[in-house]
Amino acid sequence: MAQTKPSTRERLLDIAEAGVLAKGFGATSIEEIIAEAGISKNGFFYHFRDKNELARALLQRYLDTEEALLDDVFSRARELHGDPLHSFLIGLKLLSEMMADLPNGHPGCLVATFTYSERMFDRDVRELNRNAVLIWRARFLKMLEEIASIYPPRDHVDLRSLADMISNTVEGGIVLSKAIGQPQILSEQLLLLRSYVRLLFEPAEARTALAS
Amino acid sequence: MAQTKPSTRERLLDIAEAGVLAKGFGATSIEEIIAEAGISKNGFFYHFRDKNELARALLQRYLDTEEALLDDVFSRARELHGDPLHSFLIGLKLLSEMMADLPNGHPGCLVATFTYSERMFDRDVRELNRNAVLIWRARFLKMLEEIASIYPPRDHVDLRSLADMISNTVEGGIVLSKAIGQPQILSEQLLLLRSYVRLLFEPAEARTALAS
DNA sequence: CTCCTACTGCACCGGGAGTGCAGTTTTGCC
DNA sequence: GGCAAAACTGCACTCCCGGTGCAGTAGGAG
């Protein structure tokens, strides 16, 4: 499995992804992708029937990577602490640190890009995009339900909304970081989210004074 | 000042804005804009030197409208309650209701769209976009500093980050709402933000039990 | 030796960005 | 009413991009 192919297809996806995140899908031309890849136009169309199929492949690959990353982060967090609340807080911390360590900041989220270009794609791609957000929701909801079953929340909150808040924080954080060119915003926002989760669920006796 | 001109320029901007929010800037063609406006191509170029100038005008108009809206919401909130914390909480509630009342959900934020297409624009437009976020930050930071000077926060938070969290919630909420086609997410997320601000600043004695 | 994968090269179409220029209608103002 | 400026129209043309069609080929696997 290890780097058997620096395959052309993967290189095309890499180049396309960078372009899409920097300029938007509609503004990323096949011409420039093949120019950078050093391939002919027909070479491109050998791999992807049309631009929509490029979009599909791009999004699918992106979602698989993200899912693996989230699996990794939160299972590592769970190994560090068996309690659902504390492992969740650790997971958010890890995520925040991971985002802070990206050298040029987060390059952008394809789900957001595609959401802001929905009219360009066919049903398949839009459905894929929609499902991605619903999968994130389900993932975080499951963790929050486990937490809430042990720690009663301090305020009336809908756990489903709260689950969305994680995705929300990431998506918003990426936009703001990119917009003003301050990569650290994303990780700061994740820490604020963590602070909220803590205030919501952590029992008062565990928070004597303002201890971190 | 009242509707003296349903001027062509404004109509072009309206049509362009809808297109840009639905498909992205690069994918919104001048041809389709003039087709919908019923104007010739040269008519378009009479108003805007090129596509970049269209972007500039689009963004400037959008930012002016948003600023006026925020001024309105938070000054109305201030009239309803003199206390900075409570008027801020009311403002977030008003904003949330306003977003919930949009018939087809929020159409999208141009700042986010432009952020995800940065390479398409010249320095001017990128600077305009960047400044917009910094202006939002300054606006909310001022309000939060006033709050924090009266109510000591319950957790160590950087007020600047917290100020960004308002923009963050809106940007993220718009992405999620659009992505899964559930307009209410944006207003829900604003209410969660409100819950966080309340937990952070509201004195314990004001929150006996879990009262709203 | 042959089949398959992964391409190259060329020619072509339609549509979009943008330019240039000449001409026309509409509007505001004296 | 007259006149100039503003707000356009129409046409012709350039270059770039998405996409198609078709013919051909280099290299590895059986």
Side-chain angles (χ1 to χ4, degrees):
Chain A
M1 270 297 183
Q3 170 122 13
T4 44
K5 281 181 192 175
S7 74
T8 306
R9 190 188 150 92
E10 287 301 306
R11 271 180 49 241
L12 290 173
L13 287 173
D14 288 341
I15 296 166
E17 186 170 314
V20 168
L21 290 174
K23 294 176 304 191
F25 185 79
T28 303
S29 73
I30 293 176
E31 303 270 341
E32 77 184 76
I33 296 171
I34 64 177
E36 198 177 330
I39 199 183
S40 74
K41 189 182 269 195
N42 282 16
F44 175 91
F45 285 108
Y46 172 79
H47 291 287
F48 308 100
R49 192 186 306 132
D50 53 27
K51 233 189 159 189
N52 194 81
E53 199 171 300
L54 171 67
R56 228 196 97 280
L58 222 41
L59 186 54
Q60 187 64 64
R61 190 182 70 147
Y62 180 80
L63 296 179
D64 291 346
T65 319
E66 290 301 297
E67 203 183 330
L69 186 144
L70 289 176
D71 280 348
D72 177 55
V73 165
F74 284 98
S75 70
R76 263 167 54 210
R78 195 66 191 241
E79 282 163 22
L80 290 171
H81 207 305
D83 177 76
L85 174 58
H86 291 98
S87 77
F88 187 67
L89 294 174
I90 291 169
L92 289 179
K93 193 88 189 291
L94 288 175
L95 210 54
S96 166
E97 282 165 8
M98 197 170 281
M99 297 299 139
D101 286 345
L102 293 172
N104 302 310
H106 196 293
C109 173
L110 276 185
V111 171
T113 309
F114 280 37
T115 296
Y116 269 109
S117 318
E118 49 166 6
R119 293 273 174 79
M120 295 215 66
F121 309 113
D122 66 14
R123 273 203 135 276
D124 272 20
V125 174
R126 291 206 297 261
E127 202 53 34
L128 198 58
N129 208 43
R130 188 180 134 84
N131 277 331
V133 178
L134 295 177
I135 287 170
W136 293 338
R137 169 186 286 181
R139 169 194 291 272
F140 296 123
L141 180 55
K142 200 177 146 204
M143 301 169 87
L144 290 170
E145 276 169 348
E146 207 184 338
I147 293 170
S149 72
I150 302 180
Y151 304 96
R154 182 170 274 87
D155 196 358
H156 300 287
V157 291
D158 176 20
L159 291 184
R160 202 265 299 143
S161 294
L162 193 58
D164 287 341
M165 197 179 187
I166 288 94
S167 314
N168 198 297
T169 302
V170 174
E171 294 297 346
I174 293 172
V175 170
L176 292 200
S177 294
K178 276 172 78 86
I180 57 180
Q182 296 180 353
Q184 72 273 22
I185 293 184
L186 173 53
S187 48
E188 287 171 5
Q189 292 300 313
L190 282 167
L191 292 181
L192 281 182
L193 172 62
R194 183 173 175 279
S195 153
Y196 180 41
V197 173
R198 228 160 55 84
L199 281 181
L200 255 185
F201 293 107
E202 202 170 61
E205 67 269 21
R207 283 187 302 111
T208 48
L210 295 175
S212 172
Chain B
M1 273 294 184
Q3 170 122 14
T4 43
K5 280 182 192 176
S7 74
T8 306
R9 191 186 149 91
E10 288 300 308
R11 271 180 49 239
L12 290 173
L13 288 173
D14 288 340
I15 296 167
E17 186 170 313
V20 169
L21 291 174
K23 293 176 305 190
F25 186 79
T28 302
S29 72
I30 293 176
E31 302 270 340
E32 76 184 77
I33 296 171
I34 64 178
E36 198 178 329
I39 200 183
S40 73
K41 188 182 269 195
N42 282 15
F44 175 90
F45 285 108
Y46 172 79
H47 290 287
F48 307 100
R49 191 188 307 132
D50 53 27
K51 235 189 157 188
N52 193 81
E53 200 172 299
L54 170 67
R56 228 197 97 280
L58 222 40
L59 186 54
Q60 187 63 65
R61 190 183 71 148
Y62 179 80
L63 296 179
D64 291 346
T65 318
E66 290 300 298
E67 203 184 331
L69 186 144
L70 288 176
D71 280 348
D72 176 54
V73 164
F74 285 98
S75 71
R76 262 167 53 208
R78 197 63 192 243
E79 283 163 22
L80 290 171
H81 207 304
D83 177 77
L85 174 58
H86 291 98
S87 77
F88 187 67
L89 293 174
I90 290 169
L92 288 179
K93 192 88 189 292
L94 288 174
L95 210 54
S96 165
E97 282 166 8
M98 197 170 282
M99 296 300 140
D101 287 345
L102 293 172
N104 302 311
H106 197 293
C109 172
L110 275 185
V111 172
T113 310
F114 280 36
T115 296
Y116 270 109
S117 319
E118 49 167 6
R119 294 272 174 79
M120 294 215 66
F121 310 113
D122 66 15
R123 272 203 135 277
D124 272 21
V125 174
R126 292 206 297 262
E127 203 52 34
L128 198 58
N129 208 44
R130 189 180 133 84
N131 276 331
V133 178
L134 295 176
I135 287 170
W136 293 340
R137 169 186 285 182
R139 168 194 292 272
F140 296 123
L141 180 55
K142 200 178 146 203
M143 301 170 87
L144 290 170
E145 277 169 347
E146 208 184 339
I147 293 170
S149 73
I150 302 180
Y151 303 96
R154 183 169 273 86
D155 196 359
H156 299 290
V157 290
D158 176 19
L159 291 184
R160 203 266 298 142
S161 293
L162 193 58
D164 286 342
M165 197 178 186
I166 288 93
S167 314
N168 198 297
T169 303
V170 174
E171 294 298 346
I174 292 172
V175 170
L176 292 199
S177 294
K178 277 172 78 86
I180 56 180
Q182 296 181 355
Q184 72 274 22
I185 292 184
L186 173 53
S187 48
E188 287 170 6
Q189 293 299 313
L190 282 167
L191 292 181
L192 281 182
L193 171 63
R194 183 174 175 277
S195 152
Y196 180 42
V197 173
R198 227 160 56 86
L199 282 181
L200 256 185
F201 294 107
E202 202 171 62
E205 67 269 19
R207 284 187 301 111
T208 48
L210 296 174
S212 173

